[in-house]
Structure formats: structure tokens, C-alpha cells
Amino acid sequence: MGKWLQSSECVTLEVSERIARITLNRPEKRNAINNILLRELKQALLEADDLKSVNAIILQGAGKDFCAGYDLVTTYGDLNGADPTEYRGTQKNFDDDCWSMERQNETVNLFSEIHKPIIARVHGNCLAGGTDLALACDMVIAADNAKIGFPATRANGSPPAHMWFYHLGPQWAKRMLLTGDSLWGRDAAKLGLVLDAVPVEALDVAVDELARRLSFVDADLLAANKRIVNLGLELAGAKTLQRLAVENDSRAHLCDGPRRTQFKKDMQDLGLKDALKRRDEPFGDGMITLYARGEE
């Protein structure tokens, strides 16, 4: 099959030589996730899985970042002018918040149900909701200087899609989420959060070569082996944990502690940029240094 490209508002789908390349395409917003992007990503994933000409899928971000997280300004207001009081997505209570995040997670949960293997190509910032997408993929290859973490746990909530425990184990999952600190791609690879990390200039070559190798295997064999491993994750509680993660994130949103209260006030008074700056200032650069491994 020849090369072809399908574009929508926030996501592009390109197919060539048995590989589908799905690109988050909001570079001016650092590929922040809104409801439109989630819908289009879901459609692109299903299209790639349906195409018999595709054996493997690459997920990547346009511009400087893979994905900087959820678009806190627009995500919850995407109702096309409808009266927000008539829709549950306005998150006025615990159950409405759960409902909204369950709808969002339908796209993230789809990653494990897609028959074909998905490789995340991570560069720049991969933060908060961006990690939800990356860690849902079957394999992650990162630039060694990519920044990976969930700083929103400092004042905003908890990951609504939770694969941290399965990639890092309990201690490192707690180390990441109890501080909101981040890892460089090279350290994420050493800890098993990502499959491998390479210099940013070699990222395309590394990702393309892995996808090329996958593409030579029949799609039904790829599906069988992916499903066996994913069944192991299910037996280890991964699907149940996703639901519990949503519910606990909703509980966290109801927190009235001083840092969360201050963040909400800063959002209202100062705007998102300054609210994030004030939230993160006490943590310095927020990067984890692996002293125990003899590194600087």
C-alpha cells in the first residue's frame, strides 16, 4: 500500500509500509489534551486497528513536546455552546466527576484493547495526562532528555489512568506520585518506566526501526502475543485499578487542603500559567536525581 495521510483538527493519521503513525497535532498548546483530541485519537486508533494494511502503530506529538497534559482551560468547557448545567461533564459533584473522567478514559483504555501494538515516541514534555497516553502504549521509547512525570499530584489530584505501579513497582510509583517530581528519559529507562531512551537526534531512527521489525510479523500473531501479555496485566488487576484510579482522583478533586485551595484560587485570580508556577516553586526544578545509582 502507498503512503496516505488523514488529518483532523487535533490528530493526524499517516499510513506507510505497514505502519500507522498517529500524531497529536496541537503544537501551539504543547499537544495538551482536550475532548476534541480524545475523540479524534479514539477514531484514529480504531481506524489504524481496522486497516489490514497496518501491522503496527506509532503514537507521537507534533512540535516540541509529546504531550504536556490535560488542557485545564478548555477540557471541561467543550460543550459546543450548550447549557453546562444540563451536562454531567461540568463536575459539580463526585459522581459527575467520575462520569466525566470515565468518558475520557475510554480512549486511554482502548489502547490495551487495540489488537495491534502501539509504540509511544516520547520527546520534550510528557507530563500528567501525557503520561496517561504514553504509559497505556505497549512500548515507550523516549528521548534521553524527555521530561516524564505527573506534577499535578502536588495540588490537583491523582492519575486517572494508572500504569505507574505496573511499570515501576510500589516504591518508585510512590516516589513519583507523592512528590510530583519527574524523570529524565534516560533515568526512566533505567527504572523500567520506558523501554529505552536514546539521544533526541536518534529518536526517529530507534522508533522507526522497532516499528519496522514489528511490521514484518503477521498482524494476527502480533495480536495474540499482545493479548497474552495484557491478560497477565488484567490478572494482576490492571483493569480494576483503572476504575479505582478514577474514583480516587475524583476524591482528590474534593480535597480542601491548603495547597489545592490555593491552586484553585490562583487559577481564578492569576490564570493557569502563574498558578502552575506558584504550585511548583517549592520543588525547584522537580527532577529526580538517581544518587543511589552513582549518577549526578
Side-chain angles (χ1 to χ4, degrees), residues 8-288:
S8 51
E9 185 175 342
C10 298
V11 172
T12 66
L13 170 63
E14 182 180 1
V15 176
S16 180
E17 297 181 342
R18 303 176 304 281
I19 298 168
R21 191 179 301 270
I22 297 174
T23 304
L24 310 178
N25 195 29
R26 298 185 76 209
E28 74 286 355
K29 296 292 186 179
R30 299 165 67 190
N31 300 319
I33 301 166
N34 61 12
N35 289 335
I36 297 172
L37 184 145
L38 283 175
R39 287 195 295 268
E40 293 179 354
L41 176 56
K42 182 178 182 179
Q43 293 166 358
L45 286 166
L46 291 172
E47 176 76 5
D49 205 36
D50 191 33
L51 286 169
K52 290 186 178 293
S53 58
V54 171
N55 284 17
I57 301 168
I58 296 171
L59 178 65
Q60 62 185 18
K64 296 180 179 180
D65 301 292
F66 174 76
C67 175
Y70 276 92
D71 188 335
L72 299 180
V73 175
T74 65
T75 297
Y76 303 125
D78 182 21
L79 296 173
N80 296 320
D83 182 357
T85 63
E86 296 296 323
Y87 289 87
R88 303 192 70 185
T90 51
Q91 303 151 15
K92 295 300 183 183
N93 57 42
F94 173 81
D95 193 60
D96 283 355
D97 196 15
C98 282
W99 183 92
S100 178
M101 288 193 291
E102 285 166 356
R103 299 291 74 77
Q104 292 171 2
N105 267 15
E106 286 176 357
T107 299
V108 180
N109 293 336
L110 181 64
F111 284 51
S112 65
E113 298 171 11
I114 291 291
H115 290 227
K116 293 163 186 176
I118 308 170
I119 304 167
R121 176 197 179 278
V122 170
H123 74 296
N125 288 298
C126 178
L127 300 173
T131 66
D132 289 346
L133 300 182
L135 299 182
C137 292
D138 299 295
M139 289 169 278
V140 183
I141 297 182
D144 56 11
N145 63 350
K147 188 176 181 180
I148 304 170
F150 212 105
T153 60
R154 294 169 175 169
N156 304 78
S158 181
H162 200 294
M163 291 300 294
W164 296 87
F165 170 80
Y166 296 95
H167 288 296
L168 287 175
Q171 289 196 74
W172 269 105
K174 290 174 185 177
R175 172 65 179 87
M176 296 290 293
L177 300 179
L178 297 181
T179 63
D181 289 342
S182 297
L183 287 165
W184 296 117
R186 57 181 175 269
D187 293 328
K190 292 168 186 172
L191 296 174
L193 185 62
V194 304
L195 175 67
D196 198 5
V198 299
V200 64
E201 62 271 14
L203 185 58
D204 282 330
V205 172
V207 172
D208 291 351
E209 174 59 16
L210 178 57
R212 186 185 70 85
R213 297 178 74 85
L214 296 177
S215 77
F216 288 132
V217 180
D218 291 341
D220 52 355
L221 291 176
L222 291 169
N225 283 296
K226 171 174 174 171
R227 285 182 170 213
I228 291 167
V229 176
N230 283 355
L231 180 58
L233 285 169
E234 287 185 34
L235 291 170
K239 278 199 170 183
T240 301
L241 188 60
Q242 303 316 301
R243 179 169 182 174
L244 293 173
V246 164
E247 293 181 1
N248 278 280
D249 192 20
S250 293
R251 290 189 177 91
H253 292 166
L254 298 174
C255 168
D256 59 358
R259 287 189 57 80
R260 176 150 178 77
T261 300
Q262 185 64 53
F263 181 84
K264 289 189 288 187
K265 184 177 186 302
D266 289 342
M267 276 280 288
Q268 183 176 359
D269 295 346
L270 305 174
L272 176 61
K273 184 177 180 180
D274 286 335
L276 292 174
K277 181 179 179 181
R278 292 191 66 177
R279 180 196 72 185
D280 294 334
E281 275 179 343
F283 298 88
D285 67 4
M287 300 305 299
I288 293 173

